[in-house]
Amino acid sequence: MYFLPHARDGLYGSRVGAEPDHRLLSRVSAHAVQHRKPQSHAYAPLSPVLHYNPGQGDLVGANFWDMRATGRRLGNPAAEQAQGPPTNPVEMGLPDIACAVYRASRRPYRVLFESVWGPQAFAIAWPGDVEQTCARPGPPPAGKPMPVHLGPIDRGRVGATFDQMAQSIAGYKVSAEVTQFTSKFDAALAGKARFTAQEQAGYDLFRGKAQCNACHRDGGPGEDPLFTDFTASNIGTPANPRLPYYAENRPDPLGYVANPAGSSFVDGGVGNFLAKGPQLSQPSTVDQRWVKLAPGNQARSQAPTLRNVDKRPYPAFVKAYTHNGYFTSLKAIVHFYNTRDVLPRCQCHDVGEGTTCWPAPESTNNMNTSRVGRLGLSDAEEDAIVSFMRTLTDGFMPDN
């Protein structure tokens, strides 16, 4: 049995079309927008705890594009990922983790949480001004990282309950309701379905000429086919000029500046996390042994799972791909992998952008040139790979 705050209660999910609990007063509704697209929550709990593999020469595991939810504290990257949004000033904007616990203690699902974790979870002496403190969006005031005034025992209880909330969310995400393994690929693997000729051709290309399987692994000895190797790479994605984040270099009504760099912002990815620690939210700390790896990880983003890569709420829904959402179709990103270093450079909004030319990469630091950019695929082969990736959408067969 697991506890999960429902999205309509605004605790974890008010940014994605849910009806928020307006007492949270998140900055999102007023001003700031993140500079990265959300990653899939399905299959995220299957990522290993972040570690360095000397044989590969790579960091492996964690959640978030920059790997900052390492999982090293709670033993679960997905649980630490769940701890990011509440105090992120451009997401839920709470000034203190105590505010997330306080809000949960006032919701109807409190009794469900206590039935799992015990009545001590919310046995906290809240100060009289907690509502006022939590109503002001974060970040917390300078010099006061925990603005809710609690004694040491109550503060410890808040930390334990916040961890339990995160573990409950991770437990739900790893359940068969979310992480289903019910795609056509899974059915074909079990001998219960057969690929079309185009899908099979795409799978053969995926594992061969296109080299997709090098990073988006379809399994191996002792591995589930998760379609990621949990490492990071810079594929040379162009900057996404559609992001409002580039214009958020002015203070909001409470004086917070989401993006001081303005239009010159460049996402440093995993390298920034290693060099500077978690930005905005604090799900994990950096292992100091990894700081020296920062230059080699600058601008790199985690290779996401391709499971559910084409899943959408309705056919006309436009999806976004890569860390900044630059690509809006599977065909476009496959064409980019195929032709990044073949087609000429052009400016954003050029008439041929994405077809006969590409804008420059957002960053060329550590750019992957061995498996991206010049694959020699025909248009029909690109289409076949897209057709195969569409077989990775859950819901093809009943969840047993």
Side-chain angles (χ1 to χ4, degrees):
M1 182 177 184
Y2 296 100
F3 163 78
L4 176 73
H6 194 282
R8 287 177 62 86
D9 291 320
L11 207 54
Y12 289 81
S14 60
R15 295 198 63 204
V16 193
E19 179 182 327
D21 182 335
H22 295 288
R23 293 175 303 168
L24 290 172
L25 295 177
S26 170
R27 285 184 185 276
V28 174
S29 60
H31 183 68
V33 177
Q34 261 285 23
H35 57 283
R36 296 178 182 143
K37 70 172 289 293
Q39 289 179 298
S40 170
H41 57 278
Y43 302 96
L46 302 182
S47 176
V49 172
L50 187 62
H51 60 281
Y52 180 72
N53 184 318
Q56 292 179 243
D58 259 328
L59 288 167
V60 182
N63 275 189
F64 283 129
W65 292 104
D66 61 4
M67 298 179 160
R68 72 183 186 276
T70 69
R72 288 167 63 84
R73 189 174 70 83
L74 296 179
N76 188 330
E80 293 183 18
Q81 181 278 328
Q83 294 187 326
T87 56
N88 189 325
V90 298
E91 292 193 65
M92 290 173 60
L94 295 173
D96 192 322
I97 64 169
C99 296
V101 176
Y102 172 72
R103 294 285 191 240
S105 75
R106 296 303 191 262
R107 305 305 296 155
Y109 45 65
R110 169 177 176 159
V111 66
L112 298 176
F113 189 92
E114 290 175 328
S115 72
V116 175
W117 296 105
Q120 81 292 333
F122 299 114
I124 297 165
W126 297 108
D129 64 348
V130 62
E131 186 64 56
Q132 180 182 356
T133 300
C134 294
R136 188 187 190 282
K144 192 183 291 186
M146 295 181 288
V148 176
H149 300 292
L150 296 169
I153 293 184
D154 285 327
R155 176 55 67 176
R157 189 161 289 157
V158 157
T161 301
F162 191 60
D163 287 349
Q164 291 162 351
M165 290 165 62
Q167 290 164 337
S168 296
I169 292 170
Y172 173 70
K173 290 194 291 187
V174 81
S175 72
E177 185 175 347
V178 180
T179 299
Q180 298 178 351
F181 292 98
T182 59
S183 69
K184 184 176 183 179
F185 173 85
D186 296 299
L189 205 62
K192 299 178 179 179
R194 295 186 66 180
F195 289 141
T196 66
Q198 186 185 46
E199 290 166 351
Q200 184 62 57
Y203 188 28
D204 293 341
L205 289 162
F206 186 95
R207 292 174 58 87
K209 182 178 178 180
Q211 304 182 75
C212 310
N213 202 50
C215 297
H216 298 283
R217 289 177 54 83
D218 66 343
E223 293 182 24
D224 284 323
L226 299 177
F227 291 91
T228 176
D229 65 354
F230 302 106
T231 63
S233 182
N234 175 15
I235 64 169
T237 304
N240 183 0
R242 299 184 300 276
L243 292 178
Y245 188 74
Y246 289 109
E248 296 185 349
N249 58 344
R250 296 178 298 278
D252 70 6
L254 293 174
Y256 178 71
V257 180
N259 176 23
S263 60
S264 64
F265 170 80
V266 174
D267 192 337
V270 177
N272 267 20
F273 163 59
L274 297 176
K276 302 178 182 179
Q279 304 296 297
L280 300 181
S281 57
Q282 309 289 325
S284 304
T285 56
V286 177
D287 187 315
Q288 290 303 304
R289 294 172 297 177
W290 300 340
V291 173
K292 64 184 179 183
L293 305 176
N297 280 279
Q298 196 66 24
R300 298 178 79 194
S301 297
Q302 189 178 58
T305 176
L306 296 184
R307 283 187 170 272
N308 289 324
V309 71
D310 193 53
K311 188 173 184 178
R312 58 192 75 218
Y314 51 88
F317 182 86
V318 177
K319 294 196 69 169
Y321 299 100
T322 65
H323 70 284
N324 62 6
Y326 173 82
F327 302 98
T328 55
S329 74
L330 286 177
K331 173 68 173 181
I333 192 168
V334 171
H335 187 55
F336 177 78
Y337 268 76
N338 185 29
T339 64
R340 182 197 67 192
D341 299 338
V342 176
L343 299 178
R345 292 279 182 255
C346 60
Q347 297 298 315
C348 289
H349 310 303
D350 185 279
V351 66
E353 180 183 359
T355 305
T356 59
C357 63
W358 292 108
E362 178 182 12
S363 173
T364 57
N365 282 337
N366 304 302
M367 195 166 74
N368 188 331
T369 57
S370 61
R371 296 189 174 96
V372 181
R374 193 182 296 268
L375 301 180
L377 301 171
S378 68
D379 186 64
E381 288 175 325
E382 289 183 1
D383 290 341
I385 293 171
V386 170
S387 181
F388 165 68
M389 287 196 289
R390 286 176 175 153
T391 71
L392 301 178
T393 300
D394 283 329
F396 177 81
M397 58 183 182
D399 177 13
N400 295 321

